[in-house]
Every structure is written in C-alpha cells, then in structure tokens.
Amino acid sequence: MAKILYLMRHGETLFNQQKKIQGWSDSPLTEKGRKQAEIAGNYFKENHIQLEHAFSSTSERACDTLELVTDLEYRRVKGLKEWNFGTMEAEHEYLNPPLPYGDFFVSYGGEEEQAFKKRVSDTLLQLMQSVSGSTVLAVSHGASCRQFMRNWSHTSDVDQKGRIGNCCILKFAFDHNTFKLLDVINHDFSNLE
C-alpha cells in the first residue's frame, strides 16, 4: 500500500518580506506567515487528512509553521534544511543569478546543487522508509521542495513549472521506494494581503 507524503514549504518570513536570501540563515514568521500556516492546517482538517507522522527542517521558520499546522509530535531533521547559500545569505535577492542556479553558490561557501538535491532526496527517502504509518507531513523550504520535485519529475505527469508559494503543499505517493507527485496545492491567501 502506498504511503502519502505531504511536503510543505514554511510560511512567509521577515526575510521573504524583505526579499533577502535565506538559506541556512533564519528569520521569524511574519503575522501573515502564521496565518498562512493556519490556513494550510485547515486544508488537512477540511479534507479529513489524518497525519500520522511529522518532520521538520531544523530551521525555526519550518518548526513554527509545522506547530501551527498540527499539534502532532514531530522530529527535527537537518537533512530537510534549505540550500546553503554561503556568504550570500541575508543578502538581497537581486544578487541571485538567473535560474537555474547550478553551482553558483559554491564559490561563496554554499552547497553544490546536486549535493543539495541528493541530501533532501535521501533524507525524505529514509524518513518514508522508517515510518509505519501511511500519512506523513514534512515541512521544509522552497528550494528544497523544488529540488525534490526535480529529482522525481520522471515519475509524474503533474505540471511542475508553477510556483511553490509559502505553505504550498506537494502531495506525493510513495511506493516501492519511488515518489510520484500527485498534486501541487497553493492556497488562496488573497484575503491576507
């Protein structure tokens, strides 16, 4: 029987608001980010989704998001952290190169793209292999979610070019050590603007 992974990006942070590169640096959720997390939590309630296991990046913004989504006990996992952008962290986003970033951040002390993708993908594979329940929530980061999607793009027909907004939920089926993207859920936060 397939397990389901809900991989979710954290809510809006102060650095998101200020258009700063975040990575392994951290900044707190904004009030809007807290409300986004509550709306994401309602998605699970309204759709009668019973989460059995929960994991979070060790970054405070991810842990705080998870705690607003569910009161389920969870484990903090370093492998779910965002891309390490090295000395570019906390700098303005206009310093980012055009996509794809490739290994741009290596010269600034950051992670190689393939090493980052492998870290996140291996971590989620190990977590899904380790749980006995069938429904898992993992709260991570925008680039982490995108790289994981890219790693498994060959198994899915779902359009992966859309944005991964704050508190976006990526729904994956996990069976025979294979992930398949089933849905990309971006919530309507227009009432929070």
Side-chain angles (χ1 to χ4, degrees), residues 48-113:
H48 309 287
I49 297 166
Q50 186 66 43
L51 299 169
E52 296 172 86
H53 298 278
F55 301 95
S56 174
S57 154
T58 54
S59 298
E60 183 177 318
R61 62 192 186 267
C63 294
D64 288 352
T65 298
L66 188 146
E67 290 171 12
L68 290 163
V69 168
T70 179
D71 58 4
L72 195 62
E73 286 188 27
Y74 67 97
R75 195 170 102 215
R76 299 169 73 233
V77 181
K78 286 184 180 181
L80 294 176
K81 285 179 76 164
E82 180 61 290
W83 196 331
N84 180 349
F85 298 119
T87 58
M88 294 292 284
E89 297 200 357
E91 297 293 340
H92 200 279
E93 286 180 1
Y94 64 69
L95 295 174
N96 276 333
L99 290 169
Y101 295 155
D103 288 339
F104 174 82
F105 297 102
V106 172
S107 60
Y108 297 94
E111 273 180 294
E112 295 175 331
E113 182 175 15

Side-chain angles (χ1 to χ4, degrees), residues 111-122:
E111 273 180 294
E112 295 175 331
E113 182 175 15
Q114 291 306 313
F116 166 55
K117 183 191 293 186
K118 183 174 182 347
R119 168 173 60 83
V120 173
S121 297
D122 288 354

Side-chain angles (χ1 to χ4, degrees), residues 2 28 34 42 47 54 64 75-77 80 93 106 108 113 125 127 140 143 145-146 151 153-154 165 193:
R34 296 179 67 75
N42 286 336
N47 289 283
D64 288 352
R75 195 170 102 215
R76 299 169 73 233
V77 181
L80 294 176
E93 286 180 1
V106 172
Y108 297 94
E113 182 175 15
L125 177 63
L127 291 175
S140 191
C145 292
R146 178 68 69 192
N151 193 57
S153 62
H154 62 283
E193 303 302 325

Side-chain angles (χ1 to χ4, degrees), residues 8-12 36 142 146 162-169 184-187 189:
M8 181 175 156
R9 182 183 176 200
H10 60 78
E12 182 192 72
Q36 289 172 334
R146 178 68 69 192
R163 70 191 247 302
I164 298 177
N166 289 110
C167 289
C168 176
I169 300 169
V184 178
I185 302 128
N186 275 299
H187 310 282
F189 297 134

